[in-house]
Amino acid sequence: MTRPTDRGTNGPDGPLASPASVPTARQGARPPRLPGLLAALCDRLPADRITVLEEVLEKVTGPEDLLLRRFIGAQSAAGLAHQLTEISRTWRSEAPGMTGAGLALALATVRSVPRAGPAQVVVTGPMGTSIPARMTSGVVEEVIRSADTSLLIASFAAHGARHVVTEIGRAVDRGVHVDLLLEESTQASAAFATLPDDVHVWHRVGTSGVLHAKLIVADRHTALLGSANLTDRALSDNIEVGVVLRDPHLVEPLVDHFRWLLSPENNVMRLA
């Protein structure tokens, strides 16, 4: 009887591969970075901005295409050109044979997958070119537009900010329930005098402290928290910082807390 050896054996269709020749998964191989970079871009930009990028990608042949370079160079948002450049470099190194249309499809796929977004930095004032942050004024309006059923807005002071008032009015027109929590001592409610009567304005009960919170919450899915009041200077000139939360697990407890504050039996807030 012939004993099997380490060199393999013969089968009905020819020599059988020895165990040593069977391909195995590489140990310690780095996972591709491109999917994560695309997901980070979708988390940062609103859907309409991503759609514009997809339209550009449909027209380019690859990561070296001059049209793509020009598009990246035209981006003025802080850190966005750097972010797109990194995507282009990773595209070139990890998937050089992929066309722009292929990357556009991948981006559209990532965009369509529902997921909790990471926290995002929001600022007002001077900004370095490599900081991945967005301007407060644009994010305020974006969060208000994202509301389908309810808006919860708190501000210590309010003045001007006509674009914000306009967006709140549009939200009311589409059936969104709006609660404004405002500090009475700053006469903040005057900034919203043109809004419909069904907008609920709340002031704090008593004089033991002030309402100093600044936040905008859309439904129970998105919240903007930060230092900026709803004033023209806070939205354009001051040095302000904030964060956008798009994780319902974080936003819902925040909403529940403020709804508790508004409950009449707790005697914390009263309708103006």
Side-chain angles (χ1 to χ4, degrees):
M1 181 174 70
T2 303
R3 296 173 57 191
T5 69
D6 291 340
R7 296 180 181 177
T9 59
N10 289 330
D13 297 320
L16 297 177
S18 66
S21 67
V22 176
T24 58
R26 290 188 301 167
Q27 298 297 319
R30 292 178 58 186
R33 296 180 60 234
L34 191 56
L37 293 174
L38 296 179
L41 187 66
C42 289
D43 290 334
R44 174 180 183 177
L45 298 180
D48 58 339
R49 296 284 301 280
I50 294 294
T51 301
V52 170
L53 175 57
E54 291 169 5
E55 292 172 352
V56 172
L57 289 172
E58 290 279 357
K59 301 174 184 176
V60 306
T61 57
E64 303 292 345
D65 195 296
L66 182 59
L67 176 61
L68 179 60
R69 292 185 181 182
R70 288 175 176 170
F71 178 81
I72 293 174
Q75 303 309 304
S76 58
L80 182 55
H82 175 79
Q83 194 172 5
L84 292 173
T85 298
E86 188 63 21
I87 289 174
S88 178
R89 289 173 179 167
T90 307
W91 177 13
R92 183 171 59 248
S93 64
E94 294 185 351
M98 180 184 290
T99 64
L103 190 64
L105 179 60
L107 189 59
T109 302
V110 172
R111 175 169 55 85
S112 67
V113 176
R115 65 192 184 282
Q120 184 178 46
V121 176
V122 178
V123 301
T124 304
M127 221 171 14
T129 58
S130 62
I131 301 174
R134 297 183 60 200
M135 294 299 293
T136 306
S137 56
V139 175
V140 166
E141 296 179 26
E142 178 184 313
V143 173
I144 294 172
R145 291 189 197 115
S146 73
D148 292 319
T149 59
S150 65
L151 272 172
L152 184 65
I153 300 175
S155 189
F156 172 74
H159 182 268
R162 289 187 294 274
H163 293 298
V164 176
V165 176
T166 298
E167 286 299 335
I168 295 173
R170 289 172 178 166
V172 174
D173 290 343
R174 63 177 183 267
V176 175
H177 176 90
V178 179
D179 288 294
L180 297 177
L181 287 68
L182 305 171
E183 171 55 31
E184 189 172 15
S185 66
T186 63
Q187 291 82 48
S189 60
F192 306 98
T194 60
L195 291 176
D197 292 337
D198 49 356
V199 172
H200 294 170
V201 177
W202 300 82
H203 295 319
R204 183 169 181 177
V205 172
T207 58
S208 59
V210 299
L211 187 146
H212 204 251
K214 297 99 176 178
L215 81 158
I216 300 176
V217 185
D219 302 334
R220 298 174 67 87
H221 56 69
T222 304
L224 169 61
L225 312 176
S227 63
N229 287 300
L230 294 179
T231 68
D232 289 332
R233 292 185 64 182
L235 298 178
S236 60
D237 299 326
N238 294 350
I239 294 178
E240 309 278 2
V241 67
V243 63
V244 179
L245 304 177
R246 293 190 175 88
D247 185 346
H249 290 94
L250 297 175
V251 175
E252 289 179 357
L254 181 67
V255 174
D256 290 340
H257 170 66
F258 276 87
R259 291 298 175 197
W260 181 89
L261 293 176
L262 297 182
S263 297
E265 60 269 22
N266 296 319
N267 198 36
V268 178
M269 305 291 297
R270 59 176 173 81
L271 282 170

